[in-house]
Amino acid sequence: MALPFGLGRGSGSDYEACLARMRAPLPDPAGTRDLLRYATLAANGHNTQPWRLRPRADGVDILPDLARRTPVVDPDDHHLWASLGCAAETLGIAARARGLSAEAGFVAHAGEEAIAVDLAPGGAAPADEADLFAAIPQRQSTRSLYDGRPLPAPVVERMTAEAARVGVDLLWFPQGSQAEDVLALVLAGNAAQIDDRAFVAELKSWLRFDAAHAARTGDGLYAAAAGNPTLPPWLGRRMFDLVFRKGPETDKVARQVRSSAGVFVLVAQTNDPAGWAAAGRAYTRAALAATAAGATLAFVNQCVEVPEQRAALRDLLGLGERRPNLVLRVGYAPAMPRSLRRPVEAVLVG
Ligand SMILES: Cc1cc2nc3c(=O)[nH]c(=O)nc-3n(C[C@H](O)[C@H](O)[C@H](O)COP(=O)(O)O)c2cc1C
């Protein structure tokens, strides 16, 4: 049966073609379609790409795709809204690089919640975002061992300032500081998740075991991108059941975090969809700044996804009523194979 949008049986060469299409340089001037393609390069939970993009005369509305929720790991849609924030910020940076003004804001009316990105002819591209823009197709979640090098202070300062530009606090813990305390909560969260059959089943449903499988869907967590061997899906599913065990996974996460320069926690002002989206916007700016400086990142959100560990992290950091939104490790490592995106046509509405 022919599938829409060129998604078909999938092969290794389809993976390469998909990668080339999604990461093609942004034309100048850029049409809406190409700006939206850049927006979809944003980070997003489990690579579900939980967005629907609705262009209008003076901008784009980014709407949640509730069919792509991950209700076990993300029961209140925190990550979903953070993912929409990532797409909005990526779109804004790309649009400004192409001479538009771009303002993103959370909107809720007539029973619909969305992030509205208003676009207008705006003049010169901002010089202080040029490197963020160039980093958009380079940024990735790098789930490997890093080389242990520390992050220079100016890079940390820039990342902190970029998060602050959208009103979010970036709390930085280099190795040798409270990073070990945060790691302990990450590991406790990780163990709780692996003990949770529903969590494991949901995760498994988003795994893509080889390049053909990844290309067929254009979404999900591609095994090679996480440093895992690629296998035919039928075999990959069985191997996953055999090897995804608490002990080895916990050891792996501990080694990965300790190989990083440190961890940081993003904390938005409000604990609601607008605040969650702001956390995603802050991640995007900080991650692009890190990428531009030759560093790389990976989420270690286990300690904000499990309620007990999230409460413990909030107390550890003295956040009061504020919610620790996203947790990342950052450092230096070679790039990994990339995750794919669905074509823009698959996410357009209206
Ligand atoms: C809100 C949010 C939560 C995420 N949580 C995790 C996580 O806990 N563990 C992880 O390895 N990756 C996590 N990711 C990263 C996504 O899996 C990743 O962005 C997606 O697979 C696309 O890959 P890319 O970032 O390399 O483009 C998260 C991303 C977002 C935006």
Side-chain angles (χ1 to χ4, degrees):
M1 183 183 78
L3 292 172
F5 318 124
L7 300 175
R9 284 173 56 79
S11 69
S13 59
D14 290 342
Y15 170 85
E16 296 299 335
C18 182
L19 203 56
R21 164 186 52 72
M22 63 185 242
R23 297 181 73 226
L26 190 66
D28 190 9
T32 304
R33 197 60 66 99
D34 276 304
L35 287 173
L36 295 181
R37 172 171 60 81
Y38 252 47
T40 68
L41 295 177
N44 64 95
H46 279 12
N47 199 21
T48 64
Q49 304 158 37
W51 41 60
R52 296 179 300 135
L53 307 177
R54 185 174 65 197
R56 49 183 160 79
D58 52 357
V60 175
D61 294 326
I62 302 180
L63 302 151
D65 184 346
L66 298 177
R68 290 179 166 263
R69 297 180 68 233
T70 47
V72 181
V73 71
D74 189 30
D76 59 3
D77 292 334
H78 171 280
H79 284 0
L80 184 150
W81 281 101
S83 301
L84 301 194
C86 293
E89 197 61 27
T90 308
L91 174 61
I93 292 168
R96 285 189 290 273
R98 289 293 176 259
L100 302 175
S101 72
E103 282 296 327
F106 181 84
V107 291
H109 58 84
E112 182 183 88
E113 294 178 318
I115 303 180
V117 184
D118 294 334
L119 302 172
D128 62 351
E129 284 189 343
D131 61 344
L132 302 187
F133 169 65
I136 290 174
Q138 307 302 330
R139 185 210 57 79
Q140 67 166 196
S141 302
T142 309
R143 300 182 187 87
S144 57
L145 277 181
Y146 296 177
D147 69 8
R149 262 186 294 159
L151 211 58
V155 178
V156 177
E157 283 158 20
R158 169 93 190 274
M159 292 169 65
T160 308
E162 293 297 347
R165 277 181 67 162
V166 290
V168 172
D169 290 332
L170 185 155
L171 310 180
W172 168 239
F173 304 102
Q175 295 298 348
S177 70
Q178 267 184 316
E180 276 295 316
D181 299 331
V182 176
L183 173 60
L185 296 177
V186 170
L187 298 181
N190 196 60
Q193 288 180 326
I194 295 176
D195 280 341
D196 179 351
R197 292 166 73 106
F199 170 88
V200 175
E202 183 179 81
L203 173 66
K204 192 174 165 186
S205 74
W206 287 102
L207 295 180
R208 307 292 178 249
F209 292 98
D210 64 11
H213 189 193
R216 196 159 64 236
T217 62
D219 63 14
L221 301 163
Y222 173 38
N228 294 320
T230 55
L231 294 167
W234 67 268
L235 183 57
R237 284 189 197 94
R238 288 185 192 184
M239 289 303 291
F240 176 79
D241 292 339
L242 288 175
V243 303
F244 193 66
R245 292 276 177 265
K246 193 159 62 177
E249 284 301 313
T250 304
D251 289 349
K252 184 170 85 181
V253 174
R255 275 186 279 114
Q256 288 177 339
V257 171
R258 292 191 178 119
S259 75
S260 312
V263 295
F264 68 88
V265 182
L266 292 169
V267 186
Q269 301 300 329
T270 57
N271 186 16
D272 55 17
W276 307 339
R281 294 181 64 189
Y283 157 78
T284 300
R285 298 192 71 84
L288 294 175
T291 305
T296 195
L297 313 85
F299 289 85
V300 279
N301 278 327
Q302 294 92 325
C303 62
V304 290
E305 290 167 349
V306 179
E308 292 74 21
Q309 272 70 49
R310 186 165 70 237
L313 182 64
R314 189 193 59 209
D315 293 346
L316 177 73
L317 304 180
L319 298 178
E321 293 302 308
R322 292 170 73 199
R323 171 174 178 157
N325 297 103
L326 298 170
V327 185
L328 289 113
R329 63 188 179 99
V330 56
Y332 296 92
M336 299 282 283
R338 290 180 184 277
S339 62
L340 295 183
R341 297 296 187 273
R342 293 173 296 155
V344 171
E345 293 72 27
V347 296
L348 276 182
V349 287

